[in-house]
Amino acid sequence: MLLSSTEIAYGYSTPKTHVSPPKSQKSEAGSSPPSKPVKIDLDNNAHISKMSRPYATRQVSPDALKIQPMIIVPELPRSSQPDEYQTFLEASTPPEDPLAKKQRPLEAGTANITPARVDHRQKTEASLSRLKMLMEAIFEAEDNLQPDSSGVISSDAAQFFTFDASFNTDSPIIALSVHGKLDSALATVISDGRFSDVPVGDLNRLQRLCDNSLKSAASIDLNIRGDCSEDELEQWISRVDKVDISLRCARTALRIMTGKRPEKQLYSEELLQSILEILKGIVEESIIPAAQARSAAQHDSNTIASQKKPLINLLNQSRRILILLSKLIASNGIPETALAKVEYLTFGMIFADCAHSEKDSILGLQKFETLRHAAMEVLAKVFSRYSDQRKDIFNEILTSLENLPVARQSARQFKLIEGESIQLVSALIMRLVQTSATFSETDKSKKKRRALTFTNGNSEGKDATESSDEDEDINAHREASSVNPEVAAIRNPAGTVQKMLDVSSPLADAARSNAHHVISFLVDRALKSTKSGDAPYRNLLDIFTEDFIRVLGSTDWPAAELLLRCLLTSMFRLCSEEQNSTAPAKNMALDLMGRMGSGISDLISHVRQYSRSVEVQDSHLSQKLAHLTEDVLEARISQADLISWTGPHRIVLEYLVERNISDDAQLQSAIGYHTTQWGVKVGDFYDLLKFKDEDEDEAMSDELDIEAASLAFKLQEVILSPKWLESADKFESVKTVQGRLAHSLIVISMPFCKAFDNIFNLFLKAMSSDQATVRSKSLKSVMHLLETDVTILDRNVGVVPFIMKLIGDPSPSVRDSVIALIAKCLTLRPSLEESMYEPILRRAGDSNIGIRKRAIKLLRDIYLRNHDNSISIAIADTLLHRIRDTDEGVAELARQTFEEIWIAPHYHKASAGGDDSVQSKLALKNQLSLIVLTTNKPLVDHQTEHAQAINTQISKRNDAVSSVLESLLRVLLSAKSKNAIDNFRVCMSFVATMFDDIVDNTDSATSLGRQYMLHTLTIFARANPKLFQPDQLRHLQPYIENLSSNDDLQIYRSSIIIFRCVLPHFSSVHSTFLSEVQNALFRSVSKLNKRELTEVISCLWTINGVLNNPERLSRVTISCLQGMYKERTAEFSEGSQKLLDRVRRYLVIAGLFGKYCNFEGDQVKLFRQAFPSWKGDTVSGLMIDIFSSFTSPKRPSLIRKAALEGFCSICQTWPKLFLKEQVYSAFDIVFSEGDQDLENLVLSGFREYLQDEEKLSEKGSELSDGDSEGLESGRLSTIVTANQNDGVTTSIAQRYLAHIIRIATKSQDAYALTAVEVIGSINRQGLVHPKECGPVLVALETSQNPNIASIAFREHRTLHEKHETILEKEYMKAVQQAFVYQRNTVGDPLGATIHPFTSKLRPLFDVIKISKGKIRKKFLSNLCMKIDFDPVKLDVEDEPPKHLEFSRFIIDNLAFFEYNSVEELIHTISIMENIVTATGTGIAHAIETEVLRINLDPAPERMNQKYRGAQPEMTRPQSEVSPERMRQLTTSAMILSALWDTRTYLRRLYGLNPGTAHKEGKGKSTAKDLNKVPVKTSGITAEDLWKITTENMSSLKTKEKMVIQCREFVELLTIDKDIKIAADGDDGQGNTSRLSTPSDDEGSISNPATPGSSGRQRKRKSASATPGGRVKKQRTKSNGGKANRDAMQSDEDALPFWD
């Protein structure tokens, strides 16, 4: 090999720059001028292959060492390793082509040797010379420090040393300015590799000078107080300056120690201890207090903030010292005495509590984070070098975690190269786990490679000769393999693989062990804490998990996969059935697995992005990665491709090695972990191949043997020394995206990511859990997965049906989670809307308010995305019903939703100068079509009775929808609406568009469409008449001219309504047009039925307001009245049908004219002329007089109905007529007769009048606010006012309220609904005392008619909010009335409904929940006490007894109430127990003596039986107990047994331990828990309680059942648990229907006696009870401790029907 083909820099040897040759060759350099370079013969080493060691011993001919120029190639030390090489980058070296092949040093040409390379030696000589000169100057100045005869120190010495008496030392202190030059010079010489040329004596002397400063600063106090004076502050600043000099000295001393000099005297343990002491003092006294202070605080913080600059300087200096300390630990190590201090110091900095934001931090978060980062490096180096410290380091980290912040933003300050941030502790844990898998100096020490040791006087370091044997062993191995080590490895594949595993397996096991230790600690602590608790471990586990997921695809943190794998295993274990974990534990597991599953999906998504990036690159490596990505994602890649020498593992290693230019310890740990992981995979793959070979009975091919052995050999070399990779075969330069993609492919192929399907299947399994919280959490976890990978829905077809099954789950939290998950599914896959929207429609009416709101929001989103009209109409119809929701928040959301889906999309189109394109018009028509179809559901075109019934329901539905839409439009167009102007413009566009369609579509085929459109126009007209223009009304005139069919009648009615509503607001309309309309209407009066006639007459009076011609109206009215007057005495026989129809017609027309027209004033004259005998003053009075002739009970029903309806119509306009004797007498007769039709007619009149009065009150308030435009002109509301009619409304309410309540509670049909509406109006206007309506509203809200129940609940809640104090006193009466209503009207006296089990008094309890806890507890106490009774006075004559039915009603409600807090639940249970133990004791005694006839006299002949365990003697009764007494005792036992069963059910359902009631309210520690909402436990079902209660209530059917019931009740109160179990074991039988025994701890009961203290083997848990169940005050017993404990235990016996 020629010189021209080498890269070895050369120079000329001079005496000044003499270089010592290797020990094996001692040569001398001549001093004569050089002539030209000599050639170096390296042919002897030419046979070394690329797979061999990367170096060879070079031999130089002695003839070349005379006087010729030469290149000195020193012999490599026998112990040298490739990782000891240093790379020098030349300034003139051209940048390397990233796609070019890597060139090895010995192969690269040196044809272009630059002057910079030649000058490198001169530069290093210059830097060495500068250092020596500086050190000589320092030492000379030190020698000259002694003052001369004049006592003056020389000026030269003053330049290098500082003189301050406050240092408290006579030793010289190097000046601050000198330290900067000295540190720079030392660093340069060390980096140039010339530090070995510095005399060791000089370095030692320099360290002694540094030690002077360190010792002098050891006692300096750097504490800074917030209340210090200015002088004290100046003194502190001066102390900081002195410490600054000491820190510079420490840097200089450590710089010398990190120079890798072999001399032991440079590594002083005492000096290192001084450095650590001063660093500890600075950090603990200054830096950490400053970091913990908040800039927003006062006192101390303000003082510290004023000294920010010197504090930051101390921080920077400390950070530099820590960096040097980490290098020292890595290169030489430190003594054991210093290890503890180093670890203590670093832990203090890493886990120091600092400010949570940059704004609050005095030092700055990022500034302090650099110090923590340096401390982490030191700790990582200690961990790497000292394997015996690793366990302690991990334990200290884990126990210090509670000091970490739990706020995610403040916790994550460690910056990643990708730009994101994680916790520094997360990075530290991953770094240590990776280090555990890295072959390091610690592992080399096992092969007798020991580092230099510090001198401490007790032990001495080992010189080079002592390690010669070790070096010889290693070199012997390499020399043995120098011929061709890879060939030797191939010859023994099994041995080669095993040797590689011997190195990699222990490292991998250590990493797994440490990762498992960390995860186990975190999980165990998290299970014992909550997110809202004091311990932060639950939140920290979330943060750690998120951090590990965040770096899952990063090449620098491969240990994240191992940690997540361990965590996932723990979570699987928690969710396993064998583990029997609690619900919170399973919830935590599901939550974390959801995050991990999302992380896996994110990683796969990033892989696809990386793959697209590399596909566009034209390189062999990119193409290979693209193929690998495709195979990995499709799960068809083989393990051989993954672990091949040129596969993704090699790509990652090459990428990391290329980046590891400056020996970054973090990258080194990643390289080591990757390599170890690769080696383990190779070993596993080799074992799998051998296993398959044995099964197939075929020898493995030689090719596979060779590949496996070659790969194992190479991996072993890389594990031992990663830089060996540089001497391996050429490999294409790896770019960042390629490296990340390769690493991601590796991670996806590992067990953690492969567990994704198992995670998802576990979520599906958890959806069917017995625990509602687990079901809810599993749904949320699935939602997290869908957010990152929507293809789950495509890969798992059964997921959506499985989810939809849970939308009707009994738990509100589960239903809420299902809707949230469905929303996510529809957002990601809108095509699923058609199959999923119907269940959501039902959830819009859910009993839970939050679920209703979420469903409405989801339906809004579906509506806006959907293009199917049928779906849109169904959604709109559902949302319209929610506008009148009982909860105002839901109603407001529904109104807002309609504004968003119907109005808001057209704002820009309806604005001035808006979009007038064809598309805009089509969009407006489509929206209008949806509105029309929503408000007009088509009728069924059949003539059957069933079809007519359906059409009746459809008509009611259309009317209800129209009313709701009208109220909606009123709100949207009112002045209170934020978008009133825009909404008005859009509605005007709707109206104009509908009129255009009516004009354009004139053929008969579109008559139905016109009918629906005109009906929709009536809604807009009622809502706001100003939406119409005068010209638009002319288009309606043809529809009122002729009536030829029923369809025309519908159109006619709609047209009339529009005219009636709109005409009063358009005075500019021509009178000719109005006259034509008026004439047409008059012609149709005689043809119309009442419904259309109502609108016509109202419209006629409206037109009269413009034309002012009331004479025609008066004449028509007079004509009708005259016809009625003539027939006032007529007898209506069976043959006078025409007369009856004519009179009835007169009554209807006259009544409507009397309602809508005002004939007072000038028109009275016309009526006097027509009726000369009339002496009254008002026309309305005349009408009442004539109508009264037809209200007699003797009149035909049709005539009477018409007359009463006319009464109501006229009185609604003239309310004072309600007080006229003729009117209220006729009403009294109707109510006394009880005719439902007539009663409903009168109540309808009351309802309309009272509702009109409500509207007047509301409009009066609007008028007071200045809004006088919205008054409907259809009535004479402009004449009368609410104040004038107050007496009328009050009179109606007081006079007829009893009848109205009777009708409301008599049935659940339309008659009752009318009465309920009247009660609601009376209640809203406050016409009667609250206690008059309150109880009946409570009863009515239990109705099965949803309309009745809704109105009653709404009014009850309003009444309770206004008059809580009054109403809560009436609730027991209300409960009694509700029971009677359920028994007599509904026909179901039970207190709950089944499937699902719901309390009938739930609406009442929901209203009471508004009140404070004291009111709720009082209500529950009173409710329980309603069950209690006097056994002597108990009435049992009825079948079944009334009190038994009533008690069952209350007990059922108590069992299924949704209690608001644990406290009120415990309170209720306590009352139940007191009732049973107090009242039941006397009853049990009576049953024993009267029914069971147990002889309680301990006669002498029976005394021995007592002690032998015999049963008490029972004798046949001399005379049977009377049947009445038997029923009385049995009924008492049934009531109390049912109450006890419910008590035990509640305890088990909510997981309440015995004796909890006595702890109620005691202790501050339980106050928070008592106020929480009780949580139901799994496995406790209501069906079993319902079954046993039903069986209990059938005990009165036969005498045998009565005896059994009595005996069971006695056993319930008298037999203790332990004795009962023993008795059951003797006879092999036991009654499993009874729940548990009332214990001493659970009620007001006495201490039980022992078995030997009575004449029978029973323990009486008696309570002193007076007749009537009055409980005596229990005496306190000092010896009842054990009895109480026994009583508590007795409550724990198993409950057979819900276990």
Side-chain angles (χ1 to χ4, degrees), residues 114 128 327 413 446 453 495-496 617 650 720 780 827 835 932 934 956 970 1111 1129 1173 1177 1413 1481 1534 1572 1628:
T114 62
L128 178 60
K327 292 181 179 179
Q413 299 295 332
K446 297 177 183 179
T453 59
T496 303
Q617 300 176 6
R650 174 71 182 279
L720 294 176
K780 294 178 181 178
T827 302
S835 61
V932 172
T934 301
K956 293 181 178 179
R970 287 181 183 273
E1111 292 81 7
T1129 58
S1173 61
D1177 298 329
T1481 303
M1534 291 166 62
K1572 291 181 178 180

Side-chain angles (χ1 to χ4, degrees), residues 268-278 335 337-338 341:
S268 170
E269 180 178 353
E270 182 181 358
L271 179 59
L272 182 61
Q273 292 286 3
S274 298
I275 294 173
L276 294 178
E277 284 295 332
I278 190 171
T337 55
K341 289 185 178 181

Side-chain angles (χ1 to χ4, degrees), residues 936-975:
N936 298 272
K937 186 176 181 179
L939 301 176
V940 180
D941 190 14
H942 294 288
Q943 299 300 323
T944 63
E945 293 182 0
H946 179 65
Q948 292 178 356
I950 293 176
N951 287 337
T952 301
Q953 296 296 327
I954 293 176
S955 298
K956 293 181 178 179
R957 177 261 176 202
N958 291 342
D959 292 342
V961 170
S962 300
S963 176
V964 173
L965 182 57
E966 178 186 342
S967 64
L968 170 65
L969 291 175
R970 287 181 183 273
V971 174
L972 297 181
L973 298 175
S974 66

